[in-house]
Amino acid sequence: MHVPDGFIDAPVSVATGAVAAAAVAVSLRGARRELDERTAPLAGLVAAFIFAVQMLNFPVAAGTSGHLLGGALAAILVGPFTGVLCVSVVLLMQGILFADGGLTALGVNITNMAVVTTVVAYAVFRGLVKLLPRKRRSITVSAFAAAVISVPAAAVAFTLIYWIGGTTDVPIGQVFTAMVGVHLLIGIGEATITALTVGAVIAVRPDLVYGARGLTAPLKLRVNGELVDTPAAEPVPVAARSHRRVWLVGLAASLVLAGFVSFYASANPDGLEKVAADKGIDAKAEDHAAADSPLADYGVEGLDNARMSGGLAGVIGVGVTVVAGTGIFWTVRRRRTPETSAPGASASGTSPSETSSVAPGNSA
């Protein structure tokens, strides 16, 4: 889904750049409400994890591969506003350091891959969790469905942008059918990765999953034939809970995925590359402005060993992304005002000190 330079004309590229800039500005403001003692240390890690998993292209059909977009995963783990910023950080690092996604198309890529996926996914996710029982399984099921829908939604967004500003004369109906068809398949892979990751975090630290906040159901006891709420337990202060273990495990997993597992990723073109080649969308594609980067195409210049070159590039990418992301999110966190820090100010309607675990059941 990384759009290269030359696919979209200059006026539409500028317009989508303005849209992306506005979305990032709104997200920076909204992230002040989301980033608290739980999410601030992990937001940079989420960005690094998305970077790592995006290196793992998986086969989908007929010489085509796909990879995680990450909007759904980021929105559910750290919140929709912070999620937009996470994916935007990843796209910026990829475009500048690895020549992946055109620099003139950065606005298109942020709009498609960060804004559309995150907004669509979180809207679907919140709608489903309100309908399903308040259980941990409902969170993972909702995450799966939200991720499935977010990927073809991004494909539709690209098709609309291409319809307005495409640089080649290709029937839009053909582009729409091909893009949505292949990205429906990619969406299944996206959903599987998202649900497994969200489920793994919920299993060990449900309080760290932004999308699970406010879903704790009160324990019921039957007294004289009637169900009554049990007395509320004293919440454990967030500051007393260590994030270090989760952070270290997540960072280690990201480094292993990017530094080792990525070598075994599918070499087939991804969904957009395949459609572009088949339909002639890439006829006016331009060389990347950062094509001479020492890390271009996810390899280290001067290293002839492909395994070592790709692995080292992946490790560098994870390191740069986690440092850049953590710096941005801690800066945003420190800019919180009394209004955004007040109880109930977060988008989920819970205060930073409120417990967030999802009840395994509703009665006893």
Side-chain angles (χ1 to χ4, degrees):
M1 189 67 77
H2 291 78
V3 179
D5 296 317
F7 275 27
I8 307 299
D9 63 24
V12 175
S13 294
V14 171
T16 53
V19 171
V24 169
V26 171
S27 296
L28 284 169
R29 187 174 182 85
R32 296 177 191 174
R33 298 190 298 270
E34 295 173 347
L35 290 168
D36 57 20
E37 292 86 349
R38 288 169 286 192
T39 52
L42 297 176
L45 176 62
V46 170
F49 183 77
I50 290 172
F51 174 91
V53 180
Q54 283 197 3
M55 294 183 67
L56 309 180
N57 281 48
F58 48 85
V60 290
T64 309
S65 69
H67 62 70
L68 182 81
L69 298 186
L73 178 62
I76 295 166
L77 288 180
V78 293
F81 293 108
T82 309
V84 169
L85 298 179
C86 283
V87 182
S88 297
V89 168
V90 172
L91 294 171
L92 185 62
M93 296 299 103
Q94 290 171 333
I96 293 176
L97 298 178
F98 298 93
D100 188 11
L103 295 183
T104 62
L106 184 60
V108 176
N109 288 324
I110 289 177
T111 300
N112 286 340
M113 297 178 64
V115 179
V116 172
T117 58
T118 301
V119 171
V120 170
Y122 199 71
V124 172
F125 174 80
R126 294 306 305 176
L128 288 175
V129 295
K130 290 180 180 180
L131 297 175
L132 297 175
R134 294 185 177 186
K135 296 183 178 180
R136 294 180 181 180
R137 183 177 300 177
S138 299
I139 302 297
T140 54
V141 169
S142 299
F144 185 95
V148 165
I149 295 172
S150 70
V151 177
V156 171
F158 168 79
T159 304
L160 291 174
I161 293 172
Y162 181 80
W163 182 35
I164 299 170
T167 55
T168 54
D169 187 15
V170 179
I172 196 63
Q174 294 182 16
V175 177
F176 177 85
T177 301
M179 283 293 293
V180 174
V182 71
H183 285 91
L184 279 172
L185 299 176
I186 294 173
I188 296 173
E190 173 104 8
T192 302
I193 295 169
T194 300
L196 288 174
T197 305
V198 171
V201 178
I202 284 182
V204 294
R205 288 293 301 272
D207 60 296
L208 297 182
V209 179
Y210 182 91
R213 297 184 186 182
L215 296 178
T216 304
L219 186 66
K220 301 281 188 178
L221 291 177
R222 189 173 295 277
V223 178
N224 297 327
E226 296 183 0
L227 289 176
V228 298
D229 292 340
T230 58
E234 188 69 23
V236 179
V238 173
R241 306 171 189 167
S242 174
H243 302 133
R244 181 176 300 175
R245 182 176 180 182
V246 174
W247 197 93
L248 290 175
V249 170
L251 180 60
S254 300
L255 291 171
V256 170
L257 291 173
F260 177 74
V261 180
S262 62
F263 181 77
Y264 302 97
S266 173
N268 291 330
D270 67 22
L272 176 58
E273 292 172 333
K274 178 67 172 174
V275 172
D278 289 347
K279 304 300 180 182
I281 296 175
D282 59 356
K284 295 186 179 180
E286 301 174 0
D287 292 336
H288 200 286
D292 295 331
S293 166
L295 298 173
D297 297 324
Y298 298 95
V300 177
E301 186 178 10
L303 280 180
D304 296 329
N305 185 298
R307 184 190 296 269
M308 184 178 297
S309 177
L312 182 57
V315 168
I316 292 172
V318 168
V320 171
T321 303
V322 76
V323 169
T326 301
I328 291 171
F329 297 126
W330 272 116
T331 300
V332 174
R333 169 78 179 100
R334 285 196 294 267
R335 289 175 61 87
R336 284 178 65 141
T337 63
E339 289 182 358
T340 59
S341 301
S346 69
S348 61
T350 59
S351 68
S353 61
E354 183 179 341
T355 56
S356 312
S357 61
V358 181
N362 295 342
S363 63

